[in-house]
Amino acid sequence: MIRDIAAPLKFCRFMADGKIYNGALHGNMADLIEGDFLGEFSILRMSYPLERVKLLPPITPAKIWCVGRNYAGHAGELDHEIPKEPLIFIKATSALAGGGDPVRIPEWAGRVDYEGELAVVIGKRCRKVSEKDALSYVAGYSCFNDVTARDLQNLDGQWTRSKSFDTFAPFGPVVVLSNTMPADAALTTRLNGSAVQRDKFSNMIFSVARIISHISMFATLEPGDVIATGTPEGAGRVRPGDRVEIEIDGIGTLSNPFISDH
Ligand code: MG
């Protein structure tokens, strides 16, 4: 296969033959990578066909930062005002799941919603960085599903429990290594094959650069930190037996089945 060397590398992590590897995805092949995209790495002359691997979350971040209400349509559907500055919260890293992994919904949790989001992966440590410089600290971008137990979010009055159930953070399948997303790039979420969310990242209330700058004013961002940048209009209920796919232009599709957690 001829590689498009102009396209940014799609970094992935996967299990094959009982071992965990870093890889570069192209077509239905994963080339082995020695090293890590946050440091030095080289692509080895060895590949696995995708059907023989199990994809894992592309990295295990130290922190998952999230932005609430970052598209006017979604803030409106939850009956909230447009925020004056980015609304930041944390999701537990123990909630991470890879592409294809089942998301488990306990019956007692009540209503559970999908939230398709663009994830930013930080590449270099930064603190008090300006909006103008912020994108130079980005390693790449990925897809994220900020699964939320909506009833418990309203009941608790804060969001930690509702956002942090095990498997409520599907992430991947790849990190596209690039500082910026194309100006017109968009996200589409499909529920059982039907499009339920579609919006361009240019419609975010707060840009990726603004969000990074904002967080870095109070917390040091570390290499590998993930920032889920908020969900557009159309977040909605998901039930056991459903499948949610989040497709982002230039990245790929994060697809997860939802099952009942007994
Ligand atoms: Mg969200």
Side-chain angles (χ1 to χ4, degrees):
M1 181 181 290
I2 297 167
R3 303 250 345 241
D4 177 3
I5 55 167
L9 187 136
K10 293 183 173 182
F11 179 90
C12 65
R13 209 160 56 97
F14 62 88
M15 185 175 280
D17 299 332
K19 289 186 187 161
I20 291 174
Y21 298 101
N22 290 336
L25 209 69
H26 61 99
N28 1 331
M29 300 294 287
D31 294 339
L32 263 55
I33 279 182
E34 190 172 55
D36 194 277
F37 73 91
L38 294 168
E40 300 281 305
F41 69 85
S42 52
I43 301 176
L44 306 177
R45 289 170 172 276
M46 211 182 132
S47 305
Y48 277 97
L50 264 191
E51 67 262 20
R52 282 189 50 208
V53 313
K54 182 195 177 320
L55 288 169
L56 304 171
I59 51 161
T60 305
K63 307 190 251 355
I64 304 173
W65 301 97
C66 297
V67 184
R69 303 168 199 163
N70 198 27
Y71 294 82
H74 178 61
E77 71 192 351
L78 295 181
D79 220 6
H80 293 303
E81 287 176 17
I82 305 287
K84 293 185 177 57
E85 57 175 15
L87 174 64
I88 304 297
F89 63 95
I90 286 258
K91 199 166 168 105
T93 53
S94 47
L96 275 175
D101 285 344
V103 176
R104 302 194 306 271
I105 304 180
E107 211 167 275
W108 59 265
R111 175 178 168 155
V112 171
D113 286 6
Y114 58 82
E115 293 187 357
E117 305 195 8
L118 173 71
V120 181
V121 181
I122 296 296
K124 287 183 283 188
R125 174 169 299 159
C126 63
R127 189 168 167 265
K128 296 185 181 175
V129 62
S130 71
E131 197 173 328
K132 184 168 79 59
D133 294 338
L135 293 185
S136 63
Y137 295 91
V138 171
Y141 293 87
S142 190
C143 311
F144 194 90
N145 193 345
D146 177 22
V147 181
T148 303
R150 195 70 73 203
D151 287 341
L152 295 180
Q153 183 184 30
N154 294 331
L155 182 73
D156 288 353
Q158 50 82 18
W159 304 1
T160 307
R161 176 168 69 149
S162 64
K163 299 278 189 179
S164 295
F165 281 62
D166 288 352
T167 71
F168 272 24
F171 169 54
V174 298
V175 175
V176 171
L177 302 189
S178 172
N179 288 146
T180 52
M181 286 294 289
D184 255 9
L187 169 151
T188 303
T189 304
R190 286 185 295 271
L191 176 64
N192 301 324
S194 302
V196 285
Q197 293 187 291
R198 175 144 185 97
D199 215 335
K200 288 181 185 173
F201 302 126
S202 54
N203 288 332
M204 286 179 180
I205 298 169
F206 302 108
S207 68
V208 169
R210 172 77 194 278
I211 294 164
I212 291 170
S213 174
H214 178 79
I215 297 174
S216 80
M217 294 300 159
F218 65 88
T220 302
L221 285 165
E222 307 280 356
D225 276 5
V226 167
I227 306 171
T229 54
T231 201
E233 187 172 11
R237 186 164 191 175
V238 59
R239 293 180 169 85
D242 289 341
R243 176 174 287 273
V244 176
E245 296 166 285
I246 296 160
E247 181 174 4
I248 296 181
D249 297 338
I251 297 177
T253 303
L254 173 67
S255 176
N256 295 87
F258 284 65
I259 63 169
S260 179
D261 188 15
H262 294 297

